[in-house]
Structure formats: C-alpha cells, structure tokens
Amino acid sequence: MAALAGTSSQIIKVAALSGSLRRGSYNAGLIRSAVELSKVAVEGLQIEYVDISPLPLLNTDLEKEGTYPPAVEAFREKILAADSILFASPEYNYSIAAPLKNAIDWASRAPNVWAGKPAAVVSAGGGFGGGRSQYHLRQVGVFLDLHFINKPEFFLNAFQPPAKFNDDGDLIDEDAKKRLKEVLLALKKFTLQLKGNN
Ligand SMILES: Cc1cc2nc3c(=O)[nH]c(=O)nc-3n(C[C@H](O)[C@H](O)[C@H](O)COP(=O)(O)O)c2cc1C
C-alpha cells in the first residue's frame, strides 16, 4: 500500500487556508472547527491551519533565480507537504477574496505545488453563504490541477438568526458542525481514493 505524500502512515495531512484575515473571521472559525472535528470525530485526518497573512502581494520581481521570498517558500513547503487542501473561502464582490487568490497565485508559480491535490471548499458569509466564491475557486482549480470534491457542498449564512458563530468567530451551530464533518469525511475518502488506497 503506497504511503501518502509526506507521511509514513495512513494519516492524511490537510493544509487548511482561510481567505479572510480579520480577527473574528467566520471562515477562519470554520477552519478552527474543522481542526477540532478532525481530532475527535474524523480518524486519520490531521488538519493544520496555514496562515496566509505573512505572504507579500504577488510580484514576480520578488522571484530570484527560481527562489521566492522566505514567507512564500515556507507557504509553498506546507502546501507541497500536504496530502489535501481545505479552503475556507469568503465571498468578496461575488468572487474569491484577494488574500486567498494571492496565496493561490504564489503557490501556482513553478513548480505548481497544488498540482494533483484533492481539495474541499467551505464558506460562510452573507445570503448565499459565500457560494459564489466557491464556484470561482473551483474554476481556478481546473488550471491548478486541484481535484475538488463535488459533494457535500457547504455554505453557511452567517448572518441569519440564530447565531452561527460567537463573538470570537467560533462556530457554535451544531447542524453546521455536522455538515462540516461530512465534508471532512468526503475529503478523506476522496484523498484515499486518489492515492489508490481505497
Ligand atoms: C470587500 C468585501 C466584499 C464583499 N462582497 C460580498 C459579496 O459579494 N457577497 C456576499 O455575500 N458578501 C460579501 N461581503 C461580506 C463578506 O462575505 C462577509 O462579511 C463574510 O463574513 C466575510 O468573511 P469572514 O467573516 O471570514 O471575514 C463582502 C465583504 C467585503 C469586505
């Protein structure tokens, strides 16, 4: 049985990114909840939150003979070492938030470290729960050679009562946690399938 990339066992390493940098971000809250769920309810999934805030704005002048600024190199290493990716993708003006697109673009520079990775996307936001950003992200994923799970989809209207998050941005809605767990289970299954382990 083939070992997973960057691991010597069947533990699946997931790099989790939030496209929102604000304190109290609901999307970062989804990632924190996913980390907690992975510890107690999804065996074999190890989720690491990868902070994209240290990344400079993309500028190819910062690339020197195939190397990147230290924060970019560190970020690219984390993506490369991951077996799969979890995106929490807020919707800004019907699309992907700029910080997330910036991170995606840095990791797409040669060699594209997204290539071949299974991925899932979740979002929290206004009326459509960030859904429009998800469809743009999936489109970008085609060129990156990311392989998104199709279902279950996870959108969460964060503003419709009752409250889904507390003041710190932690997810407090039990139904949403249940749905988030289903996403993690699907990502785990699909990752194992792509690795030929299932
Ligand atoms: C620049 C900007 C553009 C936004 N555009 C949209 C939008 O097109 N559709 C939407 O539903 N919400 C939009 N929002 C609201 C955010 O999606 C919402 O505040 C969400 O909670 C942000 O994610 P966060 O809580 O993780 O920071 C926008 C917010 C900002 C700051």
Side-chain angles (χ1 to χ4, degrees):
M1 194 176 284
L4 296 172
T7 68
S8 56
S9 70
Q10 289 297 297
I11 297 289
I12 296 168
K13 291 171 64 174
V14 181
L17 285 63
S18 165
S20 171
L21 306 185
R22 77 177 179 92
R23 204 172 329 138
S25 156
Y26 300 142
N27 286 278
L30 293 181
I31 298 290
R32 284 195 299 280
S33 188
V35 170
E36 284 311 306
L37 284 167
S38 72
K39 288 177 186 164
V40 297
V42 187
E43 201 184 334
L45 215 58
Q46 193 177 83
I47 303 179
E48 182 188 358
Y49 170 66
V50 178
D51 183 10
I52 62 173
S53 67
L55 295 172
L57 277 181
L58 192 133
N59 177 348
T60 53
D61 290 345
L62 300 175
E63 302 175 5
K64 301 273 184 270
E65 291 159 11
T67 68
Y68 300 95
V72 175
E73 291 282 3
F75 175 67
R76 290 170 54 89
E77 282 299 317
K78 283 185 186 278
I79 300 304
L80 195 59
D83 297 303
S84 48
I85 313 294
L86 175 65
F87 293 96
S89 179
E91 178 178 320
Y92 286 1
N93 298 314
Y94 278 23
S95 190
I96 303 164
L100 182 58
K101 185 61 165 54
N102 185 57
I104 287 170
D105 289 343
W106 270 125
S108 75
R109 299 292 290 160
N112 168 22
V113 293
W114 303 110
K117 308 242 182 225
V121 55
V122 296
S123 61
F128 192 1
R132 297 175 193 92
S133 76
Q134 293 198 21
Y135 295 127
H136 277 188
L137 182 58
R138 286 175 183 276
Q139 180 183 335
V140 169
V142 173
F143 187 66
L144 299 175
D145 200 18
L146 276 168
H147 304 295
F148 280 96
I149 60 167
N150 288 326
K151 291 188 177 150
E153 293 184 293
F154 183 103
F155 316 109
L156 184 60
N157 186 329
F159 302 107
Q160 191 175 20
K164 309 295 187 301
F165 296 88
N166 66 19
D167 290 344
D168 295 325
D170 298 319
L171 183 64
I172 55 172
D173 185 86
E174 290 306 319
D175 177 64
K177 285 185 190 177
K178 217 179 292 173
R179 293 195 296 116
L180 187 55
K181 179 184 160 189
E182 294 304 318
V183 172
L184 298 180
L185 287 169
L187 179 62
K188 175 184 168 181
K189 186 173 175 203
F190 188 49
T191 303
L192 290 171
Q193 276 173 351
L194 281 191
K195 299 281 184 190
N197 290 340
N198 198 355

